[in-house]
């Protein structure tokens, strides 16, 4: 191509980008948040192919949701969504359509975004969200999906789930059933709308998942899926690189105030390179080489909705045969700490984690949606088991004892999330690499010591190092303010959630009913 022809083509692309809402303003935007100049040929080809079909197209940008965003989120929504500080959410913000309602009550619900963009959005019945770009370097997991964020209406106070939580976990009722703080006509949902696209799904279809260019369509309209795929084909995109997330008919699509409000989340966890400064994964997170486009058909063609969601079946290795060993571990820990037990196996000294995805809590997106429950960013790619609230400032340390899913075959990676229950904020994460072989000191008591973990939480791990074998996490007062009374209105209790991602040999998290609940052991400080 000669120089004048190349210049004309570049001018055409710039006109198309301007017509579709892309801006070349390079003002003082936060790092990660400014879209790159339109030099990438794939971006230009895709936008040109979509615009040539008469679609409205606008371009957004990607950003990270980190702990620094928590104060803004908490001010707006009274929640930080149980974020994982070791694996910040990857989110996007997009320009609203001219006729799209933006709820003032949820502006900056996921942290501050640039003027002219919104981090949450409504969906036109004939709209598609197109996400594409370079996938991250190899890691234990990545997955991306759309969430129902808020909905007009009320929650079902007569449901079994609501009544059980009200009776057994009254202090957490507001976390699971809550209106939008500044718009009581809407309720918080943050519920998955179906199955995610993740590492396993992408690899099975495209042959590889990491360090490759991939394309993801999210739409409530089968016609838009076909049209966007046709445009991508015209841009020479291999169909094996394209993945569709159907927005099910159970969603209330539309751009008016009564319509559902949505949010996109991408998770990327435990990179193989460790994620340290200067690593490939750190550079990927810093640069976020991804593009998001909103694509809208304004013709008179009727929309072709999808049906209701159908979740993938989940399986697991049954861990019940390890129950006796787990109780032996509990008893041995109590003995080492000089604590007497009423029962022979010390079951009186340990509290089971609660299975959040099983009955009666049912923390599963479509089930949450049915009763108006806040699912707090659930995913079918993992299991959730949770402790009650507890304190570290009343003379106790705590041991966490459980099966390690990476050794039982029930997880690609495991995380123990340490949470500020008041803020619903993740303050630290202990992953499966750190949990491996932590029950080794009790090998004489156990048949399968490598299949268990034993980890401690305390205000000062150095003071109890001889009792913990170094497997202890000090929770600082910066991470969790001092509190010695759970009934205090300004208390920030501690809560731990165990997540086990993607059961080996499957595309989803393990069936939580087959997992052995971990134990929380309270230990009097010497």
């Amino acid at each position: 191509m000669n120089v004048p022809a190349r210049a004309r083509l570049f001018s055409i692309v710039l006109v198309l980008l301007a017509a579709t809402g892309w801006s070349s303003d390079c003002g003082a935007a936060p790092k990660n948040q400014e879209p790159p100049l339109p030099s990438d040929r794939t971006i230009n080809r895709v936008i040109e192919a979509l615009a040539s079909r008469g679609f409205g197209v606008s371009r957004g940008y990607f950003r990270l949701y980190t702990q620094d965003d928590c104060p803004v989120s908490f001010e707006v929504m009274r929640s930080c969504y149980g974020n994982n500080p070791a694996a910040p959410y990857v989110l996007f913000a997009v320009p609203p359509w001219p006729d799209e309602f933006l709820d003032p009550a949820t502006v900056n619900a996921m942290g501050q975004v640039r003027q002219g963009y919104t981090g949450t959005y409504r969906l036109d019945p004939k709209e598609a969200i197109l996400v594409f770009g370079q996938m991250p370097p190899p890691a234990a997991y990545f997955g991306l999906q759309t969430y129902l964020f808020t909905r007009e209406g009320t929650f079902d106070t007569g449901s079994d789930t609501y009544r059980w939580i009200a009776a057994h976990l009254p202090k957490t009722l507001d976390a699971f059933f809550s209106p939008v703080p500044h718009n009581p006509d809407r309720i918080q949902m943050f519920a998955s709308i179906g199955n995610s696209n993740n590492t396993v799904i992408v690899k099975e279809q495209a042959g590889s998942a990491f360090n490759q260019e991939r394309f993801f369509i999210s739409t409530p309209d089968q016609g838009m899926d076909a049209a966007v795929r046709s445009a991508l084909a015209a841009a020479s995109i291999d169909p094996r690189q394209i993945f569709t997330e159907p927005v099910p008919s159970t969603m209330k699509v539309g751009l008016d105030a009564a319509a559902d409000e949505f949010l996109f989340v991408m998770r990327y966890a435990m990179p193989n390179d460790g994620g340290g400064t200067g690593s490939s994964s750190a550079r990927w997170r810093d640069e976020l080489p991804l593009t998001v486009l909103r694509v809208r058909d304004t013709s008179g063609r009727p929309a072709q909705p999808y049906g209701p969601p159908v979740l993938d079946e989940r399986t697991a290795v049954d861990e019940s045969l390890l129950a006796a060993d787990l109780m032996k571990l509990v008893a041995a820990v109590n003995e080492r700490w000089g604590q007497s037990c009423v029962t022979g196996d010390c079951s009186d000294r340990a509290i089971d984690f609660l299975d959040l995805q099983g009955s009666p809590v049912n923390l599963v997106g479509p089930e949450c949606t049915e009763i108006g429950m806040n699912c707090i960013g659930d995913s079918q790619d993992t299991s959730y088991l949770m402790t009650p609230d507890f304190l570290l400032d009343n003379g106790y340390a705590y041991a966490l004892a459980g099966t390690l899913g990476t050794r039982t075959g029930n997880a690609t990676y495991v995380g123990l999330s340490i949470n500020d229950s008041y803020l619903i904020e993740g303050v630290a994460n202990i992953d499966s690499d750190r949990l491996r072989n932590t029950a080794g000191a009790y090998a004489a008591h156990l048949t399968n010591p490598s299949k268990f973990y034993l980890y401690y939480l305390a205000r000062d791990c150095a003071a109890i190092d001889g009792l913990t074998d170094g497997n202890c996490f000090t929770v600082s007062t910066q991470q969790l303010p001092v509190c010695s009374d759970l009934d205090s209105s300004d208390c920030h209790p501690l809560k731990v959630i165990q997540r086990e991602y993607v059961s080996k040999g499957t595309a989803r998290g393990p069936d939580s009913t087959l997992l052995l609940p971990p134990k929380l052991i309270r230990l009097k400080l010497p």
Side-chain angles (χ1 to χ4, degrees), residues 185-404:
D185 292 332
R186 296 184 72 86
I187 53 177
Q188 297 189 55
M189 301 295 301
F190 207 165
S192 62
I193 64 173
N195 302 304
S196 74
N197 283 302
N198 63 26
T199 319
V200 177
I201 299 296
V202 173
K203 184 177 180 180
E204 285 180 348
Q205 177 175 305
S208 57
F210 297 105
N211 284 331
Q212 303 292 324
E213 192 172 60
R214 299 291 179 255
F215 298 77
F216 302 91
I217 302 167
S218 177
T219 179
D221 179 22
Q222 298 179 64
M224 280 303 293
D225 180 53
V228 172
R229 283 175 173 268
S230 175
L232 291 175
S236 303
I237 305 303
D238 185 338
R240 291 174 298 180
Q241 299 177 11
I242 307 169
F243 302 82
T244 298
E245 176 192 45
V247 177
S249 57
T250 49
M251 300 296 104
K252 302 172 185 177
V253 295
L255 300 179
D256 62 320
D260 287 341
E261 185 177 20
F262 297 93
L263 171 74
F264 167 92
V265 174
M266 181 177 187
R267 294 177 172 92
Y268 173 54
M270 285 190 69
N272 292 0
D273 61 19
T277 302
S279 65
S280 296
S281 61
R283 289 197 302 273
W284 184 88
R285 278 199 177 108
D286 188 53
E287 296 168 2
L288 293 178
L290 303 167
T291 297
V292 55
L293 303 177
R294 299 187 80 173
V295 187
R296 184 183 180 194
D297 181 357
T298 57
S299 73
R301 173 187 66 82
Q304 304 170 50
Y306 291 93
V310 179
L311 297 179
D312 291 344
E313 183 180 0
R314 296 170 63 170
T315 61
V317 176
D318 189 348
E319 294 181 351
S320 60
L321 292 177
L322 297 172
D325 255 9
L326 180 56
M327 293 316 301
K328 289 177 184 177
L329 179 58
V330 170
V333 169
N334 278 279
E335 181 180 0
R336 184 172 180 178
W337 280 71
Q339 296 192 160
S340 59
C341 303
V342 175
T343 59
D345 60 1
C346 275
S347 57
D348 61 300
R349 285 288 185 176
I351 300 172
D352 280 353
F353 282 43
L354 173 67
D355 177 10
L356 295 181
Q357 290 176 320
S359 179
V361 180
N362 300 321
L363 200 74
V364 176
E367 295 190 34
C368 292
T369 301
E370 189 174 334
I371 62 173
M373 180 183 182
N374 186 356
C375 241
I376 320 181
D378 73 292
S379 173
Q380 287 298 291
D381 291 355
T382 187
S383 60
Y384 300 98
L385 293 103
M386 180 187 77
T387 69
D389 290 346
F390 60 99
L391 303 175
L392 290 174
D393 300 301
N394 52 5
Y396 290 91
Y398 287 81
L400 309 168
T403 53
L404 187 57

Side-chain angles (χ1 to χ4, degrees), residues 71-95:
V72 177
S73 294
F74 193 78
E75 175 65 27
V76 176
M77 301 296 283
R78 308 301 295 174
S79 176
C80 299
Y81 318 109
N83 59 297
N84 180 352
Y89 294 151
V90 179
L91 312 177
F92 62 62
V94 289

Side-chain angles (χ1 to χ4, degrees), residues 55-71:
F55 295 140
V57 183
S58 66
R59 183 179 176 189
Y61 68 90
F62 277 85
R63 56 184 293 268
L64 296 178
Y65 180 84
T66 70
Q67 284 182 287
D68 291 340
D69 293 300
C70 179

Side-chain angles (χ1 to χ4, degrees), residues 431-499:
D431 63 45
S432 40
D433 285 351
R434 289 171 65 184
L435 295 173
R436 189 186 306 125
N437 297 325
T438 52
Y442 297 88
H445 300 270
L446 308 175
T447 306
N448 298 286
S450 66
K451 293 186 178 181
F452 293 90
Y453 66 80
L454 177 66
Y455 221 86
Y456 294 83
L457 302 178
R459 280 299 192 192
D460 181 10
C461 287
I464 54 174
D465 189 64
L467 290 167
T468 66
D469 305 302
N471 301 314
C472 183
F473 183 86
T474 295
V475 182
S476 71
T477 54
Q478 287 73 37
Q479 293 171 319
L480 197 76
V482 171
C483 175
S484 56
D485 181 7
L486 276 175
D487 293 326
S488 173
S489 61
D490 60 352
C491 181
H492 289 241
L494 186 62
K495 187 187 294 294
V496 176
I497 298 176
Q498 176 188 280
R499 294 176 172 91

